[in-house]
Amino acid sequence: TVIRTITNNVLLHFINCKVSNTCGSATTTADKGILMIGGTPTSTLSATGTLNTGTQTITLSSTSGKGWNLVANPFASNITWSTVQAVSTNVDATVYLYDPNTTAYASYNATTTSQTGTGQSNVIENGAGFFVHVTTPGSAASLSVTEAAKTSSAPAASLMGVQTSSNKSIIKLSLSKQGDQYADEVVLRWGGGFAATDNFDGKYDAYDLGRATGPDLSVIGNDKTQYSIFHGSELKNSSDENRTVQLGIKNMTEGTYQIGIQLQSPIANGNKAYLYDSYTGTYTLIDDNTSNYNFITTADLKSQSSTRFSVVMNAKQVASIINDNSTLPVILLNNPSTGNNFTLYSKNNYNQLQWQVIDGGGRVMQTGQINSVLKGSTHQINAGNTATGHYFIKLSGDGNALPVLKAVKN
């Protein structure tokens, strides 16, 4: 008899029923993944039966659900996914685990040891249910869980642990809204000795399975596939490399957000990767000195665009923009303006940001003050009913003079 107290909405294989005040007995098998839903915050489950030993073959459905299968670790032992996947038939190299805390799916790729999500790794815990994908839907597929897959290693976190990678050219990005406890993650990587293409490769990549609540981050491939782990082809030398990888964002509302940036391994062949914000026109170098990028979304739907962000390699047009704006603590967005309003974008925090609109003759046309300015925030200033032409915006942040901005009013 096995007795466990669990939190609801966790993938397990012990019992197949919806948790309520009382949940009766049910018959299932140890290789079936079950999602416990509803009921009280915790539930006590008991299961009886003979513990499995020897090779366990789990036949996968490949004709329905586009090849997705919810299965479970059939042993009363932790197992290593790489061992299982290596001897299985027609199964992608990535295992997926639903995380009820983040309402997203963690993923781990056995070939490249890339992982996304809280507590994901090569180790699948005793009692954990997980998702796998058939490489060629419509063809025979099965998992082979052997005694050799058993491990005494324990995951570093609940259900699955964390494993780092030492391969080259690996970036991990995360997206969260201010106040969120959990973020959604993606991994981008290139080459590293693997024969990956820029389209989906079941051996190297992982699908993004979405998120029930909270901001959702993905990589959008040229094939329109949404990735949680994107493994592209080998990078060229920096003098020849200029590719762009589109990011996708969903479930956005008005508010302050952060993209966490982690360079897990240096970018190969002298390349430099930048996070590009098309709404603000800002390029942020991804290196060991950069940990995050803060931004806001407003009622302007362009600020919530699903294609607002991308990762850019060495594009020549990047250099000129960076040279123009990299040292400016505040920049203009809608310049030239199409009306009386200009939009300021702040790269720093200020208690007070004072501004003046000055014409070409040095006359002050409008003045104002913005309080509690946050890094990554935008603010509109009104130039008044001034004539079309060229103006200067003089700025002062917390009493310190800032670079003057050139503005054009159409």
Side-chain angles (χ1 to χ4, degrees):
T1 299
V2 180
I3 299 177
R4 290 185 65 168
T5 299
I6 65 163
T7 301
N8 292 324
N9 299 326
V10 175
L11 290 175
L12 294 170
H13 68 241
F14 286 107
I15 193 165
N16 186 7
C17 63
K18 182 172 181 178
V19 177
S20 59
N21 291 333
T22 59
C23 185
S25 63
T27 301
T28 185
T29 56
D31 59 359
K32 301 295 185 184
I34 302 299
L35 177 61
M36 306 299 296
I37 58 176
T40 53
T42 60
S43 302
T44 300
L45 303 178
S46 62
T48 60
T50 303
L51 297 178
N52 289 324
T53 58
T55 298
Q56 303 295 306
T57 300
I58 304 173
T59 301
L60 302 177
S61 172
S62 61
T63 57
S64 62
K66 297 184 179 180
W68 289 102
N69 288 258
L70 171 57
V71 296
N73 176 359
F75 288 145
S77 167
N78 294 349
I79 58 175
T80 52
W81 166 246
S82 57
T83 307
V84 174
Q85 198 273 335
V87 295
S88 296
T89 303
N90 196 23
V91 180
D92 285 350
T94 301
V95 59
Y96 303 82
L97 177 74
Y98 178 72
D99 186 336
N101 292 316
T102 66
T103 71
Y105 291 83
S107 54
Y108 175 84
N109 184 279
T111 307
T112 64
T113 67
S114 299
Q115 74 281 333
T116 65
T118 304
Q120 178 70 304
S121 82
N122 190 34
V123 178
I124 301 176
E125 192 180 22
N126 162 40
F130 54 93
F131 290 91
V132 295
H133 185 257
V134 173
T135 303
T136 308
S139 302
S142 62
L143 285 183
S144 184
V145 189
T146 65
E147 289 286 333
K150 292 181 177 179
T151 178
S152 59
S153 298
S158 178
L159 289 184
M160 290 194 178
V162 177
Q163 180 172 336
T164 59
S165 175
S166 59
N167 290 312
K168 294 181 178 180
S169 306
I170 308 171
I171 299 169
K172 178 175 282 190
L173 302 175
S174 62
L175 174 64
S176 60
K177 189 175 183 179
Q178 188 177 55
D180 285 352
Q181 183 177 0
Y182 302 102
D184 194 33
E185 296 181 344
V186 296
V187 167
L188 300 92
R189 58 182 299 159
W190 295 266
F194 300 105
T197 70
D198 291 326
N199 292 324
F200 187 86
D201 302 298
K203 191 174 182 179
Y204 306 109
D205 299 312
Y207 292 103
D208 178 73
L209 301 183
R211 192 177 185 188
T213 58
D216 179 34
L217 180 65
S218 64
V219 178
I220 310 298
N222 294 333
D223 56 358
K224 305 304 180 184
T225 297
Q226 298 181 44
Y227 298 77
S228 63
I229 298 175
F230 172 81
H231 194 136
S233 58
E234 292 279 359
L235 293 172
K236 302 174 184 177
N237 290 325
S238 58
S239 58
D240 301 317
E241 184 60 75
N242 63 358
R243 76 183 78 182
T244 296
V245 179
Q246 182 66 56
L247 302 178
I249 55 175
K250 294 180 180 178
N251 305 336
M252 305 295 285
T253 57
E254 292 185 44
T256 302
Y257 291 82
Q258 181 178 95
I259 293 180
I261 299 173
Q262 182 181 358
L263 182 62
Q264 293 192 321
S265 185
I267 308 299
N269 300 327
N271 288 283
K272 292 185 178 181
Y274 297 87
L275 176 69
Y276 175 54
D277 182 345
S278 63
Y279 184 70
T280 64
T282 303
Y283 290 83
T284 301
L285 178 64
I286 298 174
D287 61 10
D288 291 331
N289 298 317
T290 306
S291 60
N292 59 72
Y293 175 78
N294 296 310
F295 67 99
I296 69 166
T297 55
T298 66
D300 183 358
L301 294 181
K302 290 182 180 179
S303 73
Q304 303 179 30
S305 170
S306 61
T307 57
R308 175 172 171 170
F309 294 96
S310 56
V311 173
V312 181
M313 290 285 183
N314 309 314
K316 292 181 174 58
Q317 61 267 31
V318 174
S320 61
I321 297 175
I322 291 174
N323 289 338
D324 290 340
N325 292 332
S326 62
T327 60
L328 295 180
V330 179
I331 63 174
L332 278 171
L333 296 185
N334 57 331
N335 187 32
S337 73
T338 55
N340 293 327
N341 290 327
F342 288 99
T343 301
L344 297 178
Y345 174 81
S346 178
K347 297 181 182 179
N348 296 316
N349 298 319
Y350 298 101
N351 293 321
Q352 292 182 341
L353 184 65
Q354 296 176 320
W355 56 270
Q356 295 178 328
V357 177
I358 303 172
D359 69 6
R363 293 174 297 179
V364 176
M365 309 302 294
Q366 295 287 336
T367 64
Q369 179 175 295
I370 307 169
N371 297 319
S372 302
V373 175
L374 296 177
K375 178 181 178 181
S377 62
T378 57
H379 303 271
Q380 285 194 332
I381 62 174
N382 194 303
N385 294 319
T386 51
T388 59
H390 291 75
Y391 294 86
F392 300 94
I393 298 178
K394 186 176 180 180
L395 299 169
S396 175
D398 294 336
N400 298 312
L402 302 178
V404 176
L405 305 178
K406 296 179 181 180
V408 178
K409 180 182 177 183
N410 284 338

